[in-house]
Amino acid sequence: MKVLGIESSCDETAAAVVEDGCRILSSVVSSQIAIHRPYGGVVPELASRQHIKVIIPVITEALQRAALNLSDIGAVAVTQGPGLVGSLLVGIGVAKAIAYSTGKPLVPVNHLEGHIQAAFLEEAPASFPCIGLVVSGGHTNLYYVEDHGRSTLVGRTRDDAAGEAFDKVAKLLNLGYPGGMVIDTLARKGNPKAISFPRAYLEKDSLDFSFSGIKTAVVNFVRRYVDVGEADGQQPGEQSLKSAKLLPVQVADIVASFQEAVVDVLVQKTCAAAQQFRVRQVVVAGGVAANSRLRRRLEEEVGRLGLHLQLPKPELCTDNAAMIAAAGFHKLKMTGGRWDLDFDAISRWPDLPGYLPDDRPK
Ligand code: KG4
Ligand code: ZN
């Protein structure tokens, strides 16, 4: 069955056609980076307006690239949440219109379940049971994944998500937007051992994360060496690295050391979860899974344990609609149902990914 996936939970408008939950026939992503860059972060109102502008062309292009018409599609899957409510509503509205006019089933999908599904879109897909690390701008979650849509949350961040920490540190250092990718590139020129930022491993055997301490340590380190005030025409309180003549290390060293601290914790907890739950397989997804240092370290450490690591291609780690189409296909198959068209966006989804306890077809 060919499923049309639609994703608009944050700042990417995406549509894709996926066959049988595993073969990508097309995947189109329209990024809003340039729109949000001047603000240093996603502006929800601008995000929804841009989704409205491009969603129909993006869907049309996805169908054209797959050489299909709407009549060839077996079902439509759309991200229901979590995410920005105004953004989610654009995708949901269009998906409902397509489902209503074509009579095809419409499957509401959890965005995080979608991220996990990215690991099943590869040529040699992941297998169950596995440990899934979903590490993005809004989440840092570890799941014990038993089957499609059957995951138990076994660890989560108690404060900032890893991607959020990347974005905040990049903003603090005036490195530009989006932060994660900039730090990834700049860190290649730095020394990861230059500064020893704290790693929060929390209680013994805990699979939870905490990244606010690392972020604050970077803030404190930078403050020590950076003038705070009205220099360079800034507002009081703003910091400028232009006046950071006293910095004892290069900015590349700061970001490399920060990145290493985040990566150390992510890798250690993921490996610990795999050992605690005695799985043979680890899958990693979400925007931060595109990070080159994290990918290298995971390959080394998961490999050292003799386990299989499933790391989707970077373009499948960041937000896309192929993962939503795949998750929709499996949800339809597992529950065998049809959903009424009156479901709403869920901005903050309860911890469980996949199917809500009452999220059964009517
Ligand atoms: O999954 P995603 O595209 O959207 C959310 O669901 O949040 O993840 C976006 C997050 C952002 O915080 C971004 O800075 C981070 O992923 N990110 C990266 C990299 N590429 C994206 N973080 C570190 N290194 C990267 N290469
Ligand atoms: Zn995401």
Side-chain angles (χ1 to χ4, degrees), residues 155-190:
R156 57 176 303 179
T157 181
R158 295 183 186 171
D159 39 59
D160 291 350
E164 194 180 347
F166 269 93
D167 295 337
K168 285 179 177 169
V169 165
K171 203 168 177 180
L172 169 83
L173 297 170
N174 291 329
L175 295 179
Y177 172 85
M181 226 183 315
V182 180
I183 289 184
D184 189 352
T185 310
L186 184 58
R188 286 175 209 164
K189 296 188 201 137

Side-chain angles (χ1 to χ4, degrees), residues 62-101:
L63 288 168
Q64 275 169 357
R65 283 199 207 168
L68 297 170
N69 295 312
L70 273 181
S71 54
D72 304 315
I73 297 295
V76 183
V78 66
T79 304
Q80 184 180 16
L84 300 169
V85 73
S87 291
L88 289 164
L89 285 172
V90 178
I92 292 174
V94 172
K96 284 180 179 176
I98 294 174
Y100 183 74
S101 59

Side-chain angles (χ1 to χ4, degrees), residues 192 197-199 201 211 214 256-266:
F197 289 124
R199 277 88 167 140
Y201 290 106
F211 293 110
I214 302 176
S257 302
F258 157 77
Q259 178 178 269
E260 199 67 6
V262 174
V263 166
D264 273 352
V265 177
L266 288 171

Side-chain angles (χ1 to χ4, degrees), residues 6 8 64 67 156 220 229-230 246 287 306 321 346 349:
I6 299 173
S8 70
Q64 275 169 357
R156 57 176 303 179
N220 290 340
E230 292 163 273
L246 296 174
I346 302 177
W349 199 300

Side-chain angles (χ1 to χ4, degrees), residues 272-354:
Q275 288 177 302
Q276 274 186 35
F277 287 87
R278 298 172 187 277
V279 297
R280 309 287 314 147
Q281 174 110 217
V282 170
V283 312
V284 184
V288 182
N291 182 270
S292 57
R293 183 70 183 150
L294 176 63
R295 296 174 79 87
R296 249 251 315 281
R297 291 283 310 286
L298 278 167
E299 272 159 13
E300 285 166 11
E301 301 302 322
V302 174
R304 211 187 301 277
L305 295 177
L307 307 179
H308 177 72
L309 174 70
Q310 189 79 16
L311 257 179
K313 288 189 251 331
E315 63 267 31
L316 287 177
C317 288
T318 46
D319 287 350
N320 65 85
M323 66 186 199
I324 302 302
F329 170 82
H330 290 293
K331 185 167 176 178
L332 199 59
K333 201 169 134 198
M334 305 267 296
T335 62
R338 258 184 188 258
W339 285 261
D340 287 344
L341 295 187
D342 60 357
F343 66 84
D344 225 332
I346 302 177
S347 178
R348 291 180 149 268
W349 199 300
D351 281 339
L352 206 74

Side-chain angles (χ1 to χ4, degrees), residues 174 226-241 243:
N174 291 329
V226 176
D227 283 347
V228 178
E230 292 163 273
D232 308 315
Q234 290 187 311
Q235 297 300 312
E238 270 190 340
Q239 297 163 335
S240 169
L241 273 182
S243 55

